[in-house]
Amino acid sequence: MTEQTDTLPAPLLPTVELRVPTHEDAFAWHRLFDDPEVMRFFGGLSAELSVYEELTARQRRHDAELGYCLWTMLDSAGAPIGFTGAQPWPRTWGPVGEIEIGWRLGRAAWGKGYATVAAEVTVERVRAAGVPSVVAMIDTENERSIAVARRLGMEPAESFTTPPRIPGVESSRRTARCFRLTL
């Protein structure tokens, strides 16, 4: 008796383009992330437009000064679907002094492979910029992002307890796992 094996076709990965965020992208990010489920692991609340205006401006500076940033992700039609990229860890807790990679997509883009494809491009770009290693800080309940980090070959390392997401409410603290990758 011979064993028959069927070769399954490789999954078709989406096409994604990354660009340095424009001022207009602040409006797109605000619209895409104005969703409690998208923001679930970022405090659950939508941010004001001014937060995204400052964030996109900071990313343009990072790109000019460092050669990498949080880039706007565009689908094959050229529509913004989120961001991915790298930036110096911006907080006083966690992996201070490290370069963090991250991704956030609008809900309509979830489960289609965009985050993984874009994160792979991010890893290649920061490697080309001479970054020796990166981290990804991921809420321990964020299974989708943990899966992306594992697909990139990232290894789980230390855990951190976040500051309260709601000032003065200790129960709003979360546990985040730091994933590491040597480039």
Side-chain angles (χ1 to χ4, degrees), residues 33 35-46 104 110 139-144 165 172 174:
F33 307 146
D35 180 333
E37 193 59 27
V38 170
M39 299 304 292
R40 176 178 171 203
F41 301 110
F42 304 97
L45 301 173
S46 297
R104 187 182 309 167
W110 289 3
D139 187 294
T140 56
E141 294 182 18
N142 189 341
E143 294 175 11
R144 290 176 184 264
R165 303 227 173 168
S172 68
R174 305 285 299 186

Side-chain angles (χ1 to χ4, degrees), residues 66-139:
L66 304 171
Y68 53 85
C69 65
L70 296 177
W71 295 286
T72 296
M73 295 172 56
L74 305 171
D75 66 13
S76 61
I81 57 172
F83 66 66
T84 188
Q87 65 176 351
W89 176 252
R91 296 172 180 84
T92 57
W93 61 273
V96 175
E98 304 270 3
I99 302 302
E100 180 195 31
I101 63 171
W103 44 87
R104 187 182 309 167
L105 286 78
R107 196 187 318 198
W110 289 3
K112 298 178 181 176
Y114 287 114
T116 299
V117 169
E120 289 170 345
V121 173
T122 294
V123 167
E124 292 309 313
R125 286 185 179 187
V126 295
R127 181 181 285 128
V131 175
S133 63
V134 293
V135 299
M137 286 292 291
I138 304 173
D139 187 294

Side-chain angles (χ1 to χ4, degrees), residues 1-9:
M1 177 177 218
T2 61
E3 184 177 317
Q4 180 180 6
T5 59
D6 293 326
T7 304
L8 297 175

